[in-house]
Amino acid sequence: QLQLQESGPGLVKPSETLSLTCTVSGGSISSRDNYWGWVRQPPGEGLECIASIYYTGTTYYNPSLKSRVTLSVDTSKNQVSLSLSSVTAADTAVYYCVLSHGSGSYFDFWGQGTLVTVSS
Amino acid sequence: DIQMTQSPDSLSASVGDRVTITCRASQSISRYLNWYQQKPGKAPKLLIYAASSLQSGVPSRFSGSGSGTGFTLSISSLQPEDFATYYCQQSTSTPWTFGQGTTVEIK
């Protein structure tokens, strides 16, 4: 059974960099047609796609966050990592690791999510 | 970005009721429309993809329809476990965007 597990600090200071890792179990991160990504949800609010990476290595960044986001994959550790620089309180959210499995245009696997609070 | 607008924002219903949620896209998205269910403190769960295809394991009381700019999610007979927030999402162009959510509450 494919599982995604987010990890990283729950508290980040303003202006610093938020770094999260998604560890994948039950499947290979480099499997064909997989599309990995990150979605966030501020407390009490809706969902926002942050960035995603195709199994070929092609990346996509939400234009509203592009200047601050970096996505990377470590196939040896079966991990996808997210970095978001120069954070503010507006970046406080639950961050979900997500997967579009196969060639579908939808997120069919989600991690449990991790809350990141930006505060001094 | 394509804007997704759901209506209503919330609704109250009783067990056994038929419930319909509407999602409108700011431009045509063909049938690249997905529906998710989210319960408090949990990650969203895919219910419907490609406007009307039921995700494996999802009860048949859930159904989706529509194309272009207008879509609906229907629950034929609301069950206690269906009280949750529902989100639509378009996946025809990046960034994939979500509706604001519709909360289904117990009447």
Side-chain angles (χ1 to χ4, degrees):
Chain A
Q1 174 72 3
L2 195 65
Q3 291 189 326
L4 286 60
Q5 178 67 59
E6 304 90 347
S7 59
L11 181 65
V12 180
K13 290 183 167 56
S15 79
E16 294 189 345
T17 295
L18 178 163
S19 296
L20 296 173
T21 297
C22 174
T23 301
V24 179
S25 58
S28 171
I29 203 163
S30 54
S31 293
R32 184 179 178 84
D33 289 338
N34 281 348
Y35 191 62
W36 302 92
W38 290 89
V39 171
R40 71 179 182 179
Q41 184 173 36
E45 298 186 25
L47 300 159
E48 178 183 37
C49 291
I50 302 170
S52 51
I53 184 164
Y54 200 41
Y55 79 104
T56 57
T58 301
T59 54
Y60 161 77
Y61 298 107
N62 189 321
S64 67
L65 299 167
K66 185 174 183 177
S67 63
R68 300 194 289 129
V69 174
T70 302
L71 202 61
S72 61
V73 171
D74 186 333
T75 55
S76 67
K77 295 181 179 179
N78 230 25
Q79 293 177 334
V80 181
S81 295
L82 172 74
S83 291
L84 180 65
S85 64
S86 304
V87 297
T88 70
D91 295 309
T92 294
V94 175
Y95 287 76
Y96 294 101
C97 177
V98 294
L99 166 64
S100 176
H101 188 230
S103 56
S105 298
Y106 44 82
F107 295 131
D108 47 349
F109 287 92
W110 294 65
Q112 66 184 25
T114 186
L115 174 63
V116 179
T117 302
V118 178
S119 175
S120 56
Chain B
D1 298 3
I2 296 177
Q3 306 301 315
M4 306 301 294
T5 304
Q6 293 180 227
S7 62
D9 289 336
S10 65
L11 65 90
S12 296
S14 301
V15 172
D17 285 353
R18 179 178 181 85
V19 168
T20 299
I21 299 169
T22 298
C23 177
R24 291 212 170 274
S26 59
Q27 64 189 71
S28 178
I29 58 171
S30 185
R31 292 177 61 81
Y32 288 92
L33 190 284
N34 312 307
W35 290 97
Y36 299 85
Q37 176 194 65
Q38 185 178 35
K39 296 183 179 179
K42 300 294 186 182
K45 170 190 170 183
L46 178 68
L47 296 177
I48 302 281
Y49 62 92
S52 61
S53 295
L54 197 66
Q55 172 68 347
S56 176
V58 174
S60 59
R61 62 181 179 273
F62 291 93
S63 63
S65 64
S67 66
T69 61
F71 302 85
T72 60
L73 171 70
S74 295
I75 310 172
S76 60
S77 177
L78 199 64
Q79 297 301 299
E81 61 267 30
D82 300 336
F83 292 96
T85 299
Y86 294 84
Y87 293 93
C88 62
Q89 177 207 32
Q90 66 80 19
S91 55
T92 192
S93 69
T94 53
W96 292 2
T97 46
F98 293 86
Q100 80 277 17
T102 296
T103 299
V104 177
E105 300 170 325
I106 300 172
K107 191 171 187 178

